[in-house]
């Protein structure tokens, strides 16, 4: 099953009036009642599965921007179009430890924090078993060196500290095709375990235009052994998107792109058994199901 499951949070957004979504019990804990009344925290859900995202909306007394931390890093926030709220995504990596996790909210970087308790829930995304030609799976030394170099370039790109969010409002799909390769499945290729599928494969014919899912800056353009012709876009605010196996790349590194702009054409370059788009997203460094993030983002900024 591709991406239909695990939207409990989203359902909660849709069904519950805003007031009911406020989770006062989560507010904390620490000292002053004055501080408590200044900050209102609204979560899409208090449970987030491995490989998924939640959202937080923080409303502050005078609309002052709060500082929010989640799983050891800052959460970038965008302002609500009206009102006193600030939105952000809470990414949970595919292999994050299940258990209690705390969202820390504060109005000054050094002040006392308020915490909301969430639960990271274990999720079994399943297994895919593939048989591929030996040359694709067990590359020779020269190819291995190339693969290592390319994976280093990719990781360094993805770890680059983020700039301010270029996004506000919903992210859009890069193309319309259905999910034929779901997110998160562990791979067994020629009987050996490999890293899990960190994006989705979308069905599309060769040459189909691929659109940037939001405003951003092109931070990687390359032709890699596994991912083929590849584009990575940094949307700021610790959100990046990846587009692999392209037939043609239509942007350059460093270029600013608008949401919906065509950045390349679908192909089957790299290790691909046929034309499709591999589409991935990272949120706060976490590998997350991009289709779930897009659905969740549609709720952002709505009253
Ligand atoms: Zn893929």
């Amino acid at each position: 099953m591709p991406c239909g499951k695990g939207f409990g949070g989203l359902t909660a957004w849709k069904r519950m009036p805003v007031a009911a979504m406020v989770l006062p019990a989560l507010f904390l804990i620490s000292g002053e009642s004055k501080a408590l009344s200044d900050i209102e925290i609204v979560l899409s859900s208090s449970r987030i599965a491995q490989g998924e995202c939640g959202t937080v909306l923080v409303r502050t007394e005078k609309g002052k921007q709060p500082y929010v931390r989640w799983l050891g890093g800052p959460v970038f926030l965008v302002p609500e179009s009206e009102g006193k709220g600030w939105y952000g995504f809470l990414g949970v990596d595919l292999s994050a430890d299940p258990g209690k996790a705390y969202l820390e909210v504060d109005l000054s970087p050094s002040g006392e924090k308020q915490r909301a308790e969430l639960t990271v829930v274990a999720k079994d995304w399943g297994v895919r078993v593939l048989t591929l030609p030996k040359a694709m799976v067990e590359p020779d030394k020269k190819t291995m060196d190339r693969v290592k170099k390319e994976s280093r370039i990719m990781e360094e790109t993805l770890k680059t500290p983020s700039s301010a969010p270029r996004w506000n409002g919903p992210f859009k799909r890069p193309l319309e095709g259905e999910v034929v390769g779901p997110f998160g499945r562990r791979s067994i290729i020629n009987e050996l375990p490999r890293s899990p599928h960190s994006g989705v494969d979308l069905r599309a014919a060769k040459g189909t235009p691929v659109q940037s899912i939001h405003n951003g800056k092109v931070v990687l353009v390359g032709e890699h052994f596994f991912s083929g012709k590849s584009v990575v876009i940094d949307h700021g605010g610790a959100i990046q998107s990846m587009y692999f196996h392209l037939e043609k790349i239509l942007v350059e590194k460093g270029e600013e792109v608008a949401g919906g702009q065509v950045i390349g054409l679908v192909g089957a370059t790299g290790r691909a058994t046929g034309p499709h788009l591999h589409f991935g997203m990272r949120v706060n460094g976490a590998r997350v199901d991009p289709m779930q993030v897009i659905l969740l983002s549609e709720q952002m900024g709505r009253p």
Side-chain angles (χ1 to χ4, degrees), residues 146 150-151 153-154 220 222-230 270:
R146 177 185 163 190
E150 289 167 354
S151 96
I153 290 169
M154 183 63 74
L220 185 146
E223 181 152 14
H224 290 185
F225 179 77
F226 284 125
S227 56
K229 287 187 179 161
S230 306

Side-chain angles (χ1 to χ4, degrees), residues 11-12 20-21 33 47 67 80 86 98 123 253 298:
T11 313
M21 291 194 294
S33 58
R47 295 165 64 82
Y67 297 86
E80 239 182 340
W86 295 83
K123 178 159 182 172
K253 190 178 172 183
E298 288 168 5

Side-chain angles (χ1 to χ4, degrees), residues 15 17-18 68 89 115-117 131 280:
R15 284 191 191 150
V18 169
V68 178
F89 287 96
R115 299 199 304 174
E117 184 183 286
T131 305

Side-chain angles (χ1 to χ4, degrees), residues 107-295:
L107 290 176
S108 75
S110 55
E112 202 166 342
K113 288 168 180 58
Q114 296 188 43
R115 299 199 304 174
E117 184 183 286
L118 288 91
T119 306
V120 170
V121 185
K123 178 159 182 172
D124 184 358
W125 293 90
V127 180
R128 66 171 174 172
V129 179
L130 291 177
T131 305
L132 293 172
K134 216 174 164 189
M136 274 186 176
V137 185
E138 298 165 39
D140 56 32
K141 164 95 172 64
K142 193 169 157 228
T143 310
M144 268 320 291
D145 289 346
R146 177 185 163 190
V147 166
K148 279 182 195 158
K149 188 178 160 210
E150 289 167 354
S151 96
R152 207 167 48 238
I153 290 169
M154 183 63 74
E155 282 312 308
E156 277 166 12
T157 302
L158 294 172
K159 275 186 190 148
T160 306
S162 202
S163 52
R166 290 173 159 84
W167 45 270
N168 193 350
F171 287 78
K172 299 232 165 62
R173 299 174 59 134
L175 50 78
E176 281 307 315
E178 65 175 308
V179 174
V180 287
F183 172 84
R185 287 191 302 183
R186 285 165 287 133
S187 303
I188 297 183
I189 302 176
N190 297 1
E191 300 182 349
L192 289 172
R194 303 279 169 164
S195 48
H197 195 217
S198 59
V200 292
D201 295 333
L202 297 174
R203 187 195 301 281
K206 186 174 161 182
T208 305
V210 176
Q211 300 175 327
S212 177
I213 60 171
H214 218 309
N215 306 330
K217 183 181 179 182
V218 178
V219 289
L220 185 146
V221 163
E223 181 152 14
H224 290 185
F225 179 77
F226 284 125
S227 56
K229 287 187 179 161
S230 306
V231 172
V232 177
I233 296 177
D234 182 1
H235 302 285
I239 296 186
Q240 298 137 324
S241 58
M242 282 154 272
Y243 313 81
F244 294 166
H245 309 305
L246 300 171
E247 175 68 19
K248 193 164 193 225
I249 293 173
L250 300 171
V251 288
E252 287 174 10
K253 190 178 172 183
E255 192 176 330
E256 296 279 346
V257 292
Q261 184 177 333
V262 177
I263 54 160
L265 305 177
V266 168
T269 55
R271 192 173 75 183
T273 49
H276 71 280
L277 177 69
H278 173 101
F279 163 49
M281 279 182 85
R282 298 241 181 150
V283 175
N284 286 326
R287 298 164 296 171
V288 290
D289 179 355
M291 306 310 276
Q292 191 253 345
V293 179
I294 286 173
L295 273 172

